[in-house]
Amino acid sequence: MHGCTQDAATYHRNSGWAAQAEESGLALVYAEQRTANNANRCFNWFEPADVARGSGEVRSVASMVEHAVARHGLDAGRVFVSGLSAGGAMTAELLAAYPDLFAGGSIVAGVPVGCASGMLDAFTCMNPGRTLTPQEWGDRVRAKLPDGADPPRVAVWHGTADHTVVPANGRAGVAQWVNVWGLPSSPDGAEGLPGSTTAEYYGGGGSADAAVASFSVAGMGHGTPVDPASGCGTAGAHFLDTVCSTGYTARFWGVGGISGGEPTEAPTEEPTEGPSGACVTASNYDHVAQGRAEHRQGRAYALGSGDPLGLWNTAVRTSLTESSPDHWDLTPGGC
């Protein structure tokens, strides 16, 4: 879901979800706001009639998703929602209103559920933000969750230098969903990611098993984090060259991504003789699995030489030559 002044085509082109869908076999559905509903193309996350289950914009988005699932025979248990800014705020509202439809979500530079009840309220939420206890924030989700519904898994992305939707909103969003899940306020695990990003996991020590994930990007302003150098999105207005948020989000959801989870199938190549010994062309995932490379923070590095190979996944394929026992070098020209 796009942010204010954006449209669906812009978000598809820049956010990195197009490449992620191709790599992981995902279907994408893009909601698009109309100027007739909001002059700045913002989703109306602050209007009670647009965020209540069964009405307004959340019902419209839910209908789009239900139609796509039925028409294309998709897995109804693996449906997720993500959005930036106003789209991030609406993502949070969708997760509270339709946890039976969305197994999880990713709130990028958004605000907590139930923060505003009108346009004036919305500006206060964005900057300087509202101060509530985790219990109070959690109550605002619980007031919307359908009876007997389990909460969805939630990722929250925020830049520490965001002056449009201040970072306090990211912290409040994490506290809100951690409280909804009934988890301790301290994370169970953490890791450093590219782009000066810190990931913290609640309800599990890592991305694969956590209920709530917090991704804080140091020094980043207001926008969706992308990593064009790795083929993840395109930098531009509100698409900031820092880290591949789509890849790490897909990893958290368990549908693909940078690393973790079950990889998509890729052929394993037999070694051929190169000028200096065995040469192997394979995916970075296979290089790591078969001892020719190692994995560090979502990227692969050749064993011995330490040559950077790029993202650790099944889509990126590289050639390595064994120049001496257990010492592999990147072979740019291929085998």
Side-chain angles (χ1 to χ4, degrees):
M1 301 183 71
H2 62 77
C4 296
T5 74
Q6 296 179 328
D7 56 23
T10 299
Y11 212 72
H12 177 72
R13 185 170 59 249
N14 291 68
S15 65
W17 280 112
Q20 186 63 56
E22 288 291 334
E23 177 181 333
S24 301
L26 310 179
L28 299 177
V29 175
Y30 290 93
E32 182 174 270
Q33 183 60 289
R34 298 177 178 177
T35 54
N37 296 332
N38 186 291
N40 291 319
R41 291 183 178 267
C42 305
F43 290 103
N44 291 311
W45 56 271
F46 45 82
E47 294 291 353
D50 279 312
V51 298
R53 182 181 174 94
S55 73
E57 291 181 7
V58 293
R59 178 63 261 176
S60 178
V61 173
S63 296
M64 292 173 63
V65 173
E66 290 164 348
H67 174 77
V69 170
R71 179 172 181 177
H72 298 287
L74 307 176
D75 185 347
R78 287 158 61 87
V79 177
F80 304 89
V81 58
S82 177
L84 164 68
S85 193
M90 189 59 89
T91 290
E93 296 292 345
L94 282 162
L95 292 172
Y98 290 96
D100 48 342
L101 177 60
F102 298 106
S106 177
I107 303 163
V108 184
V111 303
V113 173
C115 187
S117 58
M119 186 174 292
L120 292 179
D121 260 357
F123 287 109
T124 300
C125 288
M126 292 164 59
N127 192 345
R130 293 199 181 281
T131 302
L132 297 177
T133 67
Q135 179 70 34
E136 290 170 330
W137 281 125
D139 287 344
R140 298 198 174 192
V141 173
R142 283 184 284 269
K144 297 187 176 188
L145 287 176
D147 290 342
D150 294 325
R153 298 177 70 223
V154 181
V156 177
W157 288 84
H158 224 102
T160 65
D162 190 337
H163 302 299
T164 302
V165 180
V166 295
N169 285 292
R171 295 190 294 270
V174 172
Q176 180 173 65
W177 288 102
V178 166
N179 181 266
V180 170
W181 275 91
L183 299 171
S185 59
S186 297
D188 298 292
E191 63 176 330
L193 304 180
S196 299
T197 303
T198 300
E200 294 181 335
Y201 303 108
Y202 301 79
S207 178
D209 55 356
V212 180
S214 169
F215 298 92
S216 178
V217 188
M220 189 185 77
H222 187 66
T224 296
V226 296
D227 184 11
S230 68
C232 174
T234 303
H238 305 303
F239 297 97
L240 307 180
D241 189 350
T242 49
V243 61
C244 185
S245 60
T246 55
Y248 285 104
T249 294
R251 180 184 74 158
F252 172 67
W253 290 343
V255 296
I258 300 293
S259 61
E262 291 295 326
T264 54
E265 292 185 3
T268 300
E269 304 287 345
E270 290 296 325
T272 58
E273 288 298 316
S276 302
C279 183
V280 181
T281 299
S283 72
N284 284 347
Y285 181 90
D286 281 338
H287 281 316
V288 171
Q290 296 167 20
R292 295 182 291 270
E294 58 182 348
H295 161 240
R296 299 198 302 269
Q297 297 184 347
R299 294 179 178 270
Y301 297 85
L303 196 66
S305 68
D307 290 342
L309 308 182
L311 296 178
W312 178 53
N313 59 27
T314 58
V316 178
R317 298 174 66 77
T318 50
S319 297
L320 298 179
T321 298
E322 189 175 27
S323 56
S324 61
D326 296 324
H327 186 106
W328 295 85
D329 298 291
L330 177 65
T331 308
C335 295

